[in-house]
Amino acid sequence: MVLAGGDALKLAFSMPFRVVDVTSGLLLLAFIGAEAASRHRLVWRR
Amino acid sequence: MEEALLRAVLFGTPILLAGLGALLAERSGVVNLGVEGMMALAALTAFAAAQAYGPLPGVLAAFGVGALSGLFLGLFTVTLRANQFVAGLAVAALGLGASGLLGKRYEGLPLAHPLPEGGFALLGAVLALLVHLFLTRTRTGLFLRSAGENPKAVDLFGVSVDGVRYLALGLGGGLIGLAGAYLSLAYRPSWTDGMTAGLGWVAIALVILAAWHPLRALLGAYFFGLLFFLQFRLQGSVPIPSEAFAAMPYLLVILVLALSGRSRAPKALGQPFERGR
């Protein structure tokens, strides 16, 4: 979904496609990192 | 005929080097779909380092960046035990995007001292043999294979499965980095955005085609190299649109993969290891 959304951004707003690639990659890593953190019950404590 | 074979070897060398890198990771149980991005980042690093310090430091820098990006993938797939396919795709997108953005200042610059393509081709063939010997004749290679087949056995032996998988990702990443260095320092001694042109994905297909065997990967890479050579050679000489020829190697990759259904993947491939589960 993130990759497809990135492709849509490239077409709809003529965004530089390498910027979209970097953003998509970082978003994917953030999502799977957050998923792993929730699986290991890691919580942010203030 | 001789020219066709020579070009097959030269076209096949980056696929071979990247394929050996992906193979090492997969034999340890980690799917590496980030090959395309890792190759692009290493190609840019090799070119930038070669511009500043010369071609050999460029090769070493590409190996280093490839190894680091392999370890970065390991952070998500081994330590965090995240989905290996998604992590690989993210690394591929990140590598392609970052190399495209950071490499703008190098586009169009010539390389003063390119490296000989033949040297890389020889290195690729020797490395295929060395990877084979490493996997079959060394204790570390045995643990690496076992981490991909039965990680619990490795753990019971007192060896860290995570450590073995990081080693495989780091070494494999280094080989993928060499594939990038070949592209920007020897094959087309320059840097252009998108110069990997899908070779990383072909390398992943090669690993499956070769049934996770380094010496079969050597032959498979040259076969794919021959397909790429034919694609260029037949363009213009046959009344078929050039786009059809450009798609030919990739269509044949799909066909070959469909026909090689009997190939045997490592049993724990794609499965994160957690002690006690």
Side-chain angles (χ1 to χ4, degrees):
Chain A
M1 197 174 75
V2 170
L3 292 176
D7 283 342
L9 279 177
K10 287 175 205 171
L11 295 173
F13 300 106
S14 306
M15 278 180 76
F17 65 103
R18 290 311 186 198
V19 174
V20 176
D21 280 343
V22 171
T23 316
S24 304
L26 289 175
L27 269 176
L28 279 176
L29 290 177
F31 283 151
I32 59 172
E35 184 271 329
S38 69
R39 198 162 11 92
H40 293 288
R41 298 180 198 284
L42 295 178
V43 286
W44 180 260
R45 290 177 199 280
R46 273 198 267 180
Chain B
M1 181 66 184
E2 277 178 23
E3 191 207 350
L5 289 177
L6 178 69
R7 297 312 302 179
V9 170
L10 296 181
F11 276 122
T13 294
I15 305 172
L16 171 65
L17 287 167
L20 288 174
L23 185 144
L24 272 178
E26 297 203 2
R27 286 299 290 263
S28 79
V30 182
V31 179
N32 184 354
L33 292 187
V35 178
E36 181 80 2
M38 292 162 72
M39 244 172 111
L41 209 52
L44 170 66
T45 309
F47 187 77
Q51 286 280 10
Y53 306 108
L56 284 179
V59 175
L60 291 177
F63 186 91
V65 161
L68 282 177
S69 49
L71 296 177
F72 179 69
L73 179 65
L75 179 70
F76 289 90
T77 55
V78 179
T79 302
L80 292 176
R81 298 176 180 88
N83 184 299
Q84 296 182 3
F85 295 95
V86 182
L89 287 176
V91 168
L94 203 56
L96 281 171
S99 60
L101 288 176
L102 298 171
K104 281 194 192 302
R105 55 189 283 216
Y106 294 104
E107 286 210 48
L109 294 179
L111 186 68
H113 303 290
L115 288 170
E117 289 172 278
F120 270 99
L122 187 64
L123 178 71
V126 170
L127 280 171
L129 185 64
L130 286 179
V131 168
H132 172 66
L133 293 175
F134 168 69
L135 287 174
T136 54
R137 302 286 166 90
T138 68
R139 198 176 158 83
T140 315
L142 174 67
F143 285 132
L144 194 150
R145 282 186 291 136
S146 304
E149 296 289 344
N150 188 351
K152 275 183 189 164
V154 177
D155 189 49
L156 286 172
F157 224 78
V159 175
S160 161
V161 174
D162 288 2
V164 171
R165 287 183 169 176
Y166 267 113
L167 174 77
L169 279 166
L171 270 181
L175 295 183
I176 294 167
L178 290 181
Y182 172 74
L183 289 180
S184 64
L185 299 184
Y187 183 60
R188 286 179 211 139
S190 61
W191 161 256
T192 43
D193 186 11
M195 74 185 307
T196 47
L199 290 178
W201 304 111
V202 177
I204 294 168
L206 170 71
V207 178
I208 304 167
L209 170 73
W212 291 267
H213 194 289
L215 297 180
R216 282 191 214 133
L218 179 76
L219 296 176
Y222 295 159
F223 169 68
F224 283 136
L226 188 64
L227 292 181
F228 278 98
F229 167 74
L230 289 176
Q231 170 210 328
F232 288 116
R233 176 47 66 91
L234 294 177
Q235 274 183 31
S237 59
V238 183
I240 296 174
S242 61
E243 289 82 1
F245 279 113
M248 186 182 76
Y250 304 102
L251 288 173
L252 282 167
V253 165
I254 295 170
L255 184 70
V256 164
L257 286 178
L259 293 176
S260 61
R262 283 188 305 160
S263 67
R264 190 182 149 278
K267 285 194 183 74
L269 182 62
Q271 296 170 10
F273 175 72
E274 270 185 272
R275 183 178 279 170
R277 285 203 181 181

